[in-house]
Amino acid sequence: MNKITIAIDGFSSTGKSTIAKQLAQKLHYVYVDSGAMYRAVTFYAMQQEYISECYFFKDKLINNLEDIHLSFCYNSELGFAEIFLNNVNVENDIRSLEVSNFVSRIAEVPEVRRKLVEQQQEFGKNKGVVMDGRDIGTVVFPDAELKFFINASADKRAKRRFDELIKKGDKVTYNEILKNVEYRDRIDSTREDSPLIKAIDAIEIDNSDLSLTEQFDKIYEIVQNKLRNI
Ligand code: DC
């Protein structure tokens, strides 16, 4: 059967990566979490002290972009590929609230976007890929055969992210998370370079009131239809 490219975009904490992982597993496609790439660059900038609450040495980051090597390595126990920054597994480090608080500023930098988009396009050049992010259907793969735009209320998204972080043992409050979700929504959708917008040919799914199974079944049916008609 011909392989296709599936782009999944949407606001933060809408569960895009859960759907993307499930789809990739079911279809035996490659899954790429493009947000993890922006998070890993953010983690690098924090490690190098290029960014903090008081400053952002954007030029230093831009001048050292060549020192950042990102790769994914499939973890069969987890069932997805973890991200490596300069050969170190940073999958856990990049999920902290601190990284979440800085990532939108890093993702606004056009030079960072150019570098990551190039690598994302390379990952998807043979099709058979499910990629989730903010600009996958609009910029990375504008010709993707199937595009989804996932949405849910800010309250539901914050609640889900809060539960996830608490389970991991992070000390966070629901209000902190809600603030971060709303802040990222604003920056992601108003930035100049590749703002988060729904591609005109994307199928919108609001999962505020859908269970994971209901959501998967709905999306998988659309994928099956597409694959039958390709
Ligand atoms: O999906 P996520 O929450 O892990 O993404 C982290 C941040 O990265 C998000 O706030 C915006 C940015 N991002 C982006 O600008 N473009 C993408 N394709 C993916 C993520």
Side-chain angles (χ1 to χ4, degrees):
M1 194 185 279
N2 281 339
K3 292 198 167 189
I4 62 170
T5 301
I6 304 177
I8 304 186
D9 289 304
F11 289 96
S12 64
S13 305
T14 41
K16 301 180 299 292
S17 52
T18 306
I19 307 159
K21 274 179 210 159
Q22 288 174 325
L23 271 186
Q25 258 184 354
K26 185 91 177 175
L27 298 165
H28 303 289
Y29 277 20
V30 172
Y31 161 60
V32 180
D33 175 356
S34 70
M37 298 171 74
Y38 288 93
R39 286 173 177 271
V41 174
T42 305
F43 186 61
Y44 173 86
M46 285 163 57
Q47 279 181 324
Q48 302 298 318
E49 302 187 342
Y50 294 159
I51 194 163
S52 81
E53 273 177 19
C54 324
Y55 59 79
F56 177 21
F57 300 126
K58 203 191 283 185
D59 290 347
K60 282 196 182 163
L61 175 66
I62 294 169
N63 291 335
N64 289 291
L65 279 179
E66 276 188 10
D67 294 341
I68 303 177
H69 297 282
L70 303 180
S71 51
F72 285 93
C73 185
Y74 188 75
N75 179 327
S76 54
E77 268 174 38
L78 296 175
F80 66 90
E82 295 177 293
I83 190 157
F84 284 65
L85 165 65
N86 296 334
N87 298 319
V88 177
N89 185 334
V90 291
E91 184 63 39
N92 269 328
D93 305 284
I94 63 164
R95 307 288 166 195
S96 70
L97 182 57
E98 210 186 351
V99 171
S100 299
N101 281 334
F102 292 135
V103 66
S104 290
R105 282 160 75 196
I106 299 284
E108 274 183 320
V109 180
E111 289 81 356
V112 171
R113 302 204 69 83
R114 214 173 304 132
K115 175 184 168 93
L116 298 191
V117 167
E118 232 170 66
Q119 194 175 359
Q120 289 152 9
Q121 288 172 334
E122 184 65 27
F123 285 142
K125 70 173 190 239
N126 296 324
K127 296 202 175 275
V129 69
V130 185
M131 194 175 293
D132 76 312
R134 304 292 188 287
D135 59 344
I136 310 304
T138 49
V139 175
V140 182
F141 299 125
D143 298 329
E145 288 82 355
L146 208 41
K147 301 178 186 177
F148 292 100
F149 189 87
I150 314 293
N151 209 346
S153 68
D155 169 57
K156 280 265 161 74
R157 291 184 282 134
K159 176 90 186 50
R160 288 177 194 155
R161 181 54 67 102
F162 174 69
D163 290 345
E164 233 173 69
L165 290 174
I166 290 293
K167 220 195 258 167
K168 261 181 52 195
D170 285 10
K171 288 199 168 51
V172 290
T173 65
Y174 167 79
N175 276 339
E176 270 178 320
I177 305 292
L178 180 64
K179 249 169 74 185
N180 174 260
V181 161
E182 289 173 342
Y183 166 74
R184 285 201 287 150
D185 284 0
R186 198 173 55 247
I187 302 232
D188 291 347
S189 45
T190 55
R191 69 171 171 240
E192 243 168 67
D193 190 345
S194 320
L196 167 65
I197 42 166
K198 177 182 165 296
I200 39 170
D201 49 349
I203 300 164
E204 185 158 0
I205 310 269
D206 187 317
N207 66 17
S208 303
D209 298 311
L210 291 180
S211 71
L212 280 182
T213 317
E214 285 167 339
Q215 167 175 256
F216 181 75
D217 290 348
K218 187 171 178 168
I219 290 181
Y220 190 60
E221 196 187 329
I222 298 171
V223 172
Q224 290 293 88
N225 268 334
K226 175 56 88 176
L227 288 171
R228 271 194 292 273
N229 293 308
I230 205 97

